[in-house]
Amino acid sequence: MSTLPGFALVVLLLSAGSAGAESLVLKRDAELSDAAVAGPEAPLFLMADCIESSTPGIVEASGRVEARQAGQNFFADWLLYDTTLNEVQARGQVRLEQPVLWVGGDSLRLNLNDYSGELTQPVYRFTTQPGRGAANRIDFLDKTHYALQDATYTTCPVDNDDWFLKVRDLDIDKTRNVGTAHNASLHFLGVPILYTPWMNFPLDDARKTGMLAPTIGTTERSGFDILVPYYLNLAPNYDATLYPRLLSSRGVQLGGEFRYLLGETRGVNRLEYLPDDREADRSRWSVALNNSYQLNANTQAGMLFNRVSDDDYFRDLSNLISITSVSHLNREAWVVTQHANWNAELRVQSFQTLQDSTAEESIVEPYARLPQVRLGTTQTLDNGLEFKLESEATRFAHPDSTNPEGTRVLAYPTLRLPLTNSFGFLTPQIGWHSTYYALDDDAAEPRITRNLPIFSLDSGVYFDRPFSVAGQSYEQTLEPRAYYVYAPYRNQDDIPIFDTALQDFSYAQMFTENQFIGGDRINDANQLTLAVTSRFIEEASGLERLQVTLGQRYYFSTQKVTLEPDDPVRASNATDLLADVSGQITRDWRISTAWQFDTQNGTTIRQNLGASYRPGPGRVLNFGYRFTDQTTEQIDLSGQWPLGRRWYGMFRYNYSFQDDKLVEGLAGLEYNGGCWAIRAVLQRLATKEEQSTDALFFQLELNGMGRLGANPLDVLKQSVPGYRPSNEIIQTP
């Protein structure tokens, strides 16, 4: 037997290992951070029970063979190394370890120059993400490209073949992290459920061109519903998705979405077209364009354009309550600039109003702004005095020619002096609100001017004290606040209502100068708002365990300005009493309640009660009750809860006592199989005042492969606050 000079280091390592194995432990090559940098030029390190060289350039090792070179390890019962060809052959319990792949088999041939070769009867798994399988043969094309014959692929753990992909030819490209399969069948729980002559799938979460998993479901209004999206990864900064959709009761809908990010320009644009809807007996379509451009660091331009073919488009074709309840579609283009002390805006805006044919009253169409120009500035003087100017000029137009049109110009300069310290604040403010109207010639008063001063004084004090409960330290605060406003009366009966409405009465509204939102009405005011807030804060964590707020506004003069001239004026000298209680009561419980109480008549005007119980992921119960005098009384219950090992139940029950109908009902089951999850959801949704629709969602999710069936995730996340997919729960410590 002869010893090659190139293996002197091997002999030295073996001698040191036999003399004192405890003092020298070889690390796997994958653990040596610089080893892979050397590439195929790096030396091969070999260890075995027996190493022989009977032929020049040939080294033969047998018995517990271990070899490593430049980021990869070999293990076998027998190995032959040809130094001339730089090629390895191995037999018997062969195992090859690379940074991205672990593979074992019966016999191996591998060229270490270009990493080409083959392995028979292989089993493999990826080391950087889930994914494993077996095959009759694997061909190594290079270090990141592999071809497998008669192969299987799954992301399930070892000894679990709940689902797997069985393919005649499987190509793995680790450079692009893509798997390409020919003559592939998908098996689930031993049953083939899908066949395709060709498919590709991602090996990671990166975006890739290809067919996405179809969504399949059924709805009462559209029948059997199949959507098959095809994703186009056109470039790193723009892509597109085409999604043909078959609705058995209506026809075939064609849709597409294009997203882009080009320098300072970005956008998301979507088109949908349903030719000859058999149910509606007409073609239907929708357009949704959203684009913006960053002109410079301070200035941005953009546009929104939303339009549908008819009023019932979303009610007939969507299952999300947030979409079916949309009544106004916005269309606008704008240029906005923001600077340290001033800002400006140019905007053109109009709306499409979607009417409910079953409602007794039609929805009021808003005015279009053609155009609107705004200018604002803020300056702080040396003495701390703050000057602020808000100005606007808007041309209002309306699709109904009977409604008045015209131009409104307003300016509101103010001076305020914020005086603050550690225990409170005092902020006086005075302003002059000036408005000019140039109405169309057919108006009773074509030219109207309104000027009035407005004075306000905001003040508050902060107190705190420490206390302890059951050994836990807390801090309680007491924060009284007083807000006074004075504005003289100006007759505004001749001013049209372009964009103004009465603000919803709330705690925030009590601390505003004007009870109207918009510029067409300025209330007369001689009023004082008193409120107090107390917080209970856990000192160790800073968590606000409880917040209690009470507030009420008091009037010192009778009301004269109303939205419409014939609207009733305020009858009392005080508003309703507002109370609010909220906080993270315990680790699992959070509450949020609001109460509006009429102190004159002793009745509740509005009441919202909410509580959420979340002891852990996948365990959430939400309780809600909403009451508004004469208009609304609803109960809203929702939750997700484990029903057994790996089983979860989801539900929502939103019922209107006022209308005596179900607003939304949802019931679902979800099972997590470890490497797969299955969901079934039944939903009933009110789409009009007198109509509702039922939808069934059934989805199979294969981890690392995709989802099959109708997608209920958007519905669940919106209808059940706190919902978590079961496969995410399993991964959460």
Side-chain angles (χ1 to χ4, degrees):
M1 181 183 72
S2 61
T3 302
L4 297 178
F7 285 88
L9 177 59
V10 175
V11 176
L12 176 61
L13 291 174
L14 291 174
S15 299
S18 60
E22 296 181 358
S23 61
L24 178 61
V25 178
L26 290 178
K27 287 189 175 182
R28 291 172 46 191
D29 191 61
E31 300 176 7
L32 305 177
S33 59
D34 297 329
V37 179
E41 301 299 326
L44 178 73
F45 294 85
L46 183 63
M47 291 192 304
D49 292 341
C50 179
I51 300 177
E52 298 178 336
S53 178
S54 58
T55 304
I58 301 296
V59 177
E60 185 176 349
S62 60
R64 296 184 295 179
V65 180
E66 298 184 21
R68 56 187 180 86
Q69 182 205 38
Q72 59 185 345
N73 304 324
F74 305 90
F75 303 87
D77 294 334
W78 174 88
L79 181 143
L80 185 144
Y81 175 49
D82 188 332
T83 61
T84 304
L85 300 177
N86 199 21
E87 184 176 277
V88 170
Q89 297 181 37
R91 292 194 304 268
Q93 301 185 66
V94 178
R95 191 167 82 251
L96 170 62
E97 295 181 357
Q98 294 180 343
V100 296
L101 179 71
W102 181 99
V103 60
D106 291 342
S107 63
L108 168 72
R109 183 188 62 82
L110 185 66
N111 187 290
L112 301 182
N113 291 322
D114 56 9
Y115 297 103
S116 63
E118 69 275 343
L119 177 66
T120 61
Q121 298 301 315
V123 292
Y124 68 93
R125 62 179 172 85
F126 298 111
T127 58
T128 55
Q129 69 269 332
R132 66 174 183 87
N136 284 336
R137 173 191 173 100
I138 180 171
D139 291 317
F140 299 96
L141 306 180
D142 56 43
K143 205 167 187 176
T144 58
H145 295 79
Y146 323 115
L148 295 86
Q149 288 79 45
D150 296 324
T152 62
Y153 172 81
T154 183
T155 61
C156 292
V158 177
D159 298 328
N160 181 342
D161 290 327
D162 282 355
W163 75 265
F164 60 88
L165 191 67
K166 186 176 182 180
V167 299
R168 187 188 66 188
D169 299 299
L170 176 62
D171 298 326
I172 302 294
D173 184 349
K174 288 300 297 179
T175 302
R176 298 186 300 123
N177 274 319
V178 174
T180 303
H182 301 273
N183 290 335
S185 58
L186 181 63
H187 294 246
F188 178 66
L189 299 181
V191 179
I193 61 173
L194 186 67
Y195 171 81
T196 177
W198 174 91
M199 68 175 294
N200 66 4
F201 53 92
L203 301 177
D204 58 9
D205 295 330
R207 298 180 292 126
K208 296 177 180 65
T209 296
M211 194 78 70
L212 303 179
T215 61
I216 305 171
T218 179
T219 63
E220 182 182 11
R221 299 184 64 81
S222 298
F224 199 56
D225 187 343
I226 305 176
L227 187 145
V228 184
Y230 187 84
Y231 177 76
L232 297 167
N233 186 26
L234 304 175
N237 57 336
Y238 56 91
D239 59 19
T241 304
L242 307 177
Y243 48 94
R245 180 184 182 190
L246 172 63
L247 303 166
S248 62
S249 300
R250 300 181 181 275
V252 177
Q253 181 189 58
L254 303 177
E257 180 185 78
F258 178 69
R259 305 184 303 175
Y260 67 92
L261 176 59
L262 302 173
E264 303 300 329
T265 307
R266 64 183 62 196
V268 178
N269 301 286
R270 186 182 300 110
L271 301 174
E272 294 177 352
Y273 180 64
L274 176 60
D276 191 22
D277 184 340
R278 293 191 295 269
E279 288 287 327
D281 196 23
R282 62 179 182 272
S283 295
R284 311 179 76 179
W285 51 266
S286 74
V287 180
L289 310 177
N290 185 353
N291 303 275
S292 63
Y293 179 67
Q294 194 73 35
L295 299 173
N296 54 49
N298 305 106
T299 306
Q300 185 184 70
M303 59 86 66
L304 284 173
F305 183 85
N306 297 282
R307 190 170 179 83
V308 295
S309 57
D310 56 89
D311 292 337
D312 295 328
Y313 185 88
F314 295 127
R315 299 184 183 99
D316 289 344
L317 301 177
S318 178
N319 295 310
L320 294 177
I321 194 169
S322 61
I323 296 179
T324 60
S325 59
V326 168
S327 58
H328 300 292
L329 297 181
N330 188 20
R331 298 169 294 191
E332 61 179 329
W334 72 89
V335 178
V336 177
T337 183
Q338 296 279 348
H339 297 265
N341 297 319
W342 65 279
N343 62 84
E345 176 183 319
L346 172 63
R347 187 177 302 270
V348 178
Q349 185 179 36
S350 64
F351 301 89
Q352 179 187 7
T353 301
L354 307 181
Q355 301 290 345
D356 184 350
S357 58
T358 65
E360 296 181 358
E361 297 182 0
S362 61
I363 301 173
V364 178
E365 297 186 51
Y367 275 85
R369 297 174 170 90
L370 306 173
Q372 180 183 62
V373 181
R374 288 183 174 181
L375 175 64
T377 181
T378 302
Q379 298 287 338
T380 301
L381 307 180
D382 293 338
N383 56 6
L385 196 64
E386 295 180 358
F387 170 76
K388 185 177 182 180
L389 170 66
E390 296 178 357
S391 61
E392 169 199 314
T394 307
R395 170 67 184 179
F396 292 97
H398 200 277
D400 187 348
S401 59
T402 61
N403 287 1
E405 298 181 338
T407 299
R408 182 185 69 197
V409 180
L410 63 84
Y412 184 34
T414 60
L415 285 173
R416 64 193 297 265
L417 182 62
L419 305 172
T420 62
N421 53 39
S422 60
F423 59 85
F425 67 93
L426 180 68
T427 306
Q429 175 178 297
I430 189 170
W432 183 266
H433 205 293
S434 180
T435 315
Y436 173 75
Y437 288 84
L439 306 179
D440 291 348
D441 294 336
D442 56 353
E445 293 288 340
R447 303 293 181 268
I448 302 175
T449 300
R450 178 188 61 197
N451 293 284
L452 72 158
I454 301 176
F455 171 76
S456 67
L457 180 65
D458 196 3
S459 62
V461 182
Y462 179 89
F463 304 97
D464 64 83
R465 71 177 184 91
F467 71 100
S468 298
V469 176
Q472 180 69 51
S473 298
Y474 294 90
E475 178 183 275
Q476 181 191 4
T477 71
L478 188 64
E479 307 165 40
R481 183 179 178 185
Y483 181 69
Y484 175 77
V485 179
Y486 176 79
Y489 165 72
R490 296 290 185 270
N491 191 320
Q492 303 167 49
D493 293 346
D494 294 333
I495 297 177
I497 304 298
F498 289 138
D499 64 353
T500 300
L502 185 66
Q503 286 195 64
D504 188 39
F505 183 62
S506 64
Y507 182 78
Q509 190 262 356
M510 289 199 301
F511 291 91
T512 58
E513 297 174 336
N514 192 11
Q515 64 178 315
F516 301 102
I517 183 170
D520 300 315
R521 292 291 183 271
I522 305 296
N523 59 214
D524 55 315
N526 184 12
Q527 61 198 36
L528 175 65
T529 298
L530 297 178
V532 61
T533 296
S534 183
R535 309 174 197 270
F536 296 84
I537 303 171
E538 191 175 82
E539 287 191 348
S541 63
L543 185 66
E544 186 177 272
R545 287 298 187 184
L546 188 66
Q547 174 185 310
V548 181
T549 298
L550 292 173
Q552 192 171 20
R553 178 190 292 158
Y554 302 91
Y555 300 102
F556 304 119
S557 61
T558 58
Q559 179 189 14
K560 297 181 180 179
V561 177
T562 56
L563 189 63
E564 297 289 353
D566 54 352
D567 286 348
V569 297
R570 180 180 62 247
S572 64
N573 60 0
T575 64
D576 299 332
L577 177 68
L578 292 183
D580 182 274
V581 179
S582 63
Q584 190 75 36
I585 303 301
T586 68
R587 183 183 67 88
D588 303 332
W589 280 98
R590 180 169 186 84
I591 63 168
S592 177
T593 67
W595 183 45
Q596 180 179 339
F597 183 72
D598 185 345
T599 56
Q600 296 287 325
N601 300 317
T603 58
T604 296
I605 302 300
R606 181 179 302 172
Q607 190 174 24
N608 292 334
L609 304 175
S612 179
Y613 177 62
R614 302 186 183 185
R619 299 169 181 265
V620 55
L621 295 174
N622 303 301
F623 309 89
Y625 173 77
R626 294 184 292 272
F627 171 80
T628 302
D629 190 31
Q630 305 298 323
T631 61
T632 303
E633 186 177 9
Q634 293 184 3
I635 186 172
D636 195 346
L637 308 175
S638 64
Q640 176 188 18
W641 203 261
L643 304 179
R645 186 174 184 270
R646 297 182 178 271
W647 283 97
Y648 292 85
M650 299 82 68
F651 73 94
R652 185 184 187 188
Y653 180 76
N654 184 8
Y655 185 81
S656 173
F657 298 103
Q658 187 77 20
D659 302 317
D660 192 21
K661 72 174 184 179
L662 186 69
V663 178
E664 182 184 8
L666 181 147
L669 281 174
E670 183 168 345
Y671 178 79
N672 186 285
C675 58
W676 56 274
I678 194 166
R679 306 176 183 94
V681 175
L682 178 64
Q683 180 196 37
R684 169 164 290 185
L685 180 68
T687 55
K688 293 183 178 181
E689 284 196 4
E690 303 299 332
Q691 291 182 3
S692 63
T693 183
D694 295 333
L696 175 64
F697 303 88
F698 187 83
Q699 183 185 65
L700 172 64
E701 180 174 356
L702 306 177
N703 295 358
M705 176 62 70
R707 301 184 179 109
L708 302 174
N711 183 9
L713 293 179
D714 291 338
V715 171
L716 287 170
K717 290 177 181 178
Q718 185 176 77
S719 299
V720 184
Y723 164 78
R724 292 275 299 276
S726 62
N727 49 357
E728 294 182 10
I729 297 171
I730 297 297
Q731 299 169 5
T732 301

